[in-house]
């Protein structure tokens, strides 16, 4: 008997792997677009950086690491839920959110690279990014699979309600732990690593 957490009947395990691969490629393309766009016109990156600082960083930059951890977790959970539920828009919302995040990360990385060495950028991104970015990718991939199921149901080849439940369990199994660890690392470990290389 198949495990509903890893082998949903209507959404094969290979389909999830394929969706993750496609999602990762889309994310990398968006990052490259953000990087190149900012390199050609730095005002684009500066505007994105100001927006990021005002709308996101400003809300989670808190002196108490525990409070910061909670804020980071809530912020990332909201983003991942939007990526997942965006599948209900036939993947359009998921695509938009994923692309915007990739563009912003690419643009900000390009800006930071001018004033800091590569080791600083790695210290600021990698400790929590190795958990956070996979969480975003998996959440978006699950959203795209939901969109695929919606289209298949249109042709009578799938049960989207059943698939959505199974995909939600995969979200809880994979995405939730990743963003929890990412928040802990970003609040308690990343600042210490940055201080070591600053």
């Amino acid at each position: 008997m198949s495990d509903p957490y890893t082998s949903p009947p209507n959404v094969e395990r290979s389909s999830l792997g394929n969706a993750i691969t496609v999602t990762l490629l889309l994310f990398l393309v968006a990052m490259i677009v953000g990087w190149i766009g900012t390199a050609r016109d730095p005002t684009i990156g500066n505007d994105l950086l100001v927006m990021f600082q005002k709308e996101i960083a400003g809300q989670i930059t808190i002196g108490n690491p525990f409070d910061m951890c909670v804020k980071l977790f809530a912020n990332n959970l909201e983003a991942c839920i939007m990526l997942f539920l965006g599948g209900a828009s036939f993947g359009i919302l998921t695509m938009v959110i994923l692309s915007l995040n990739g563009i912003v990360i690419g643009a900000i990385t390009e800006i930071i690279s001018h004033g800091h060495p590569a080791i600083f950028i790695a210290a600021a991104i990698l400790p929590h990014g190795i958990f956070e970015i996979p969480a975003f990718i998996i959440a978006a991939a699950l959203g795209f699979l939901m969109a695929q199921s919606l289209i298949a149901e249109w042709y009578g080849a799938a049960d989207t309600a059943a698939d959505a439940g199974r995909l939600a369990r995969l979200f809880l199994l994979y995405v939730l732990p990743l963003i929890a660890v990412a928040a802990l690392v970003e609040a308690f470990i990343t600042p210490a690593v940055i201080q070591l290389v600053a």
Side-chain angles (χ1 to χ4, degrees):
M1 184 175 181
S2 63
D3 183 354
Y5 286 91
T6 56
S7 303
N10 294 332
V11 183
E12 298 293 338
R13 187 181 305 179
S14 60
S15 296
L16 178 58
N18 292 338
I20 289 174
T21 300
V22 171
T23 303
L24 179 60
L25 290 174
L26 290 172
F27 184 75
L28 291 175
V29 168
M31 282 187 62
I32 293 171
V33 168
W35 182 289
I36 294 176
T38 300
R40 292 185 175 181
D41 185 358
T43 58
I44 295 175
N46 288 326
D47 289 343
L48 288 173
L49 181 59
V50 170
M51 180 190 71
F52 175 81
Q53 291 174 332
K54 180 180 179 181
E55 300 297 331
I56 300 176
Q59 297 178 14
I60 60 179
T61 304
I62 302 171
N64 186 326
F66 178 78
D67 291 340
M68 182 178 177
C69 180
V70 173
K71 285 283 188 179
L72 286 165
F73 176 77
N75 185 73
N76 290 334
L77 177 60
E78 180 181 359
C80 287
I81 289 175
M82 291 297 293
L83 284 166
F84 175 47
L85 295 183
S89 66
F90 293 95
I92 296 173
L93 182 58
T94 300
M95 174 78 77
V96 170
I97 296 173
L98 180 71
S99 299
L100 287 177
N101 274 278
I103 290 171
V104 169
I105 291 174
I108 292 175
T109 303
E110 202 282 332
I111 291 175
I112 295 175
S113 67
H114 290 290
H116 300 88
I119 190 172
F120 179 87
I121 298 173
I125 296 175
L126 287 182
H128 60 276
I130 58 175
F131 302 103
E132 187 174 287
I133 293 176
F136 289 160
I137 298 301
I138 294 172
L142 293 172
F144 287 133
L145 286 176
M146 186 187 297
Q148 178 182 332
S149 180
L150 276 171
I151 295 171
E153 186 176 44
W154 182 270
Y155 293 99
D159 181 352
T160 301
D163 285 343
R166 298 184 183 99
L167 293 171
R169 289 194 288 272
L170 289 171
F171 183 95
L172 294 175
L173 182 66
Y174 296 117
V175 178
L176 203 59
L178 282 171
I179 58 176
V181 173
L184 286 167
V185 172
E186 189 169 1
F188 292 97
I189 298 177
T190 298
V193 175
I194 291 176
Q195 287 183 351
L196 288 174
V197 302

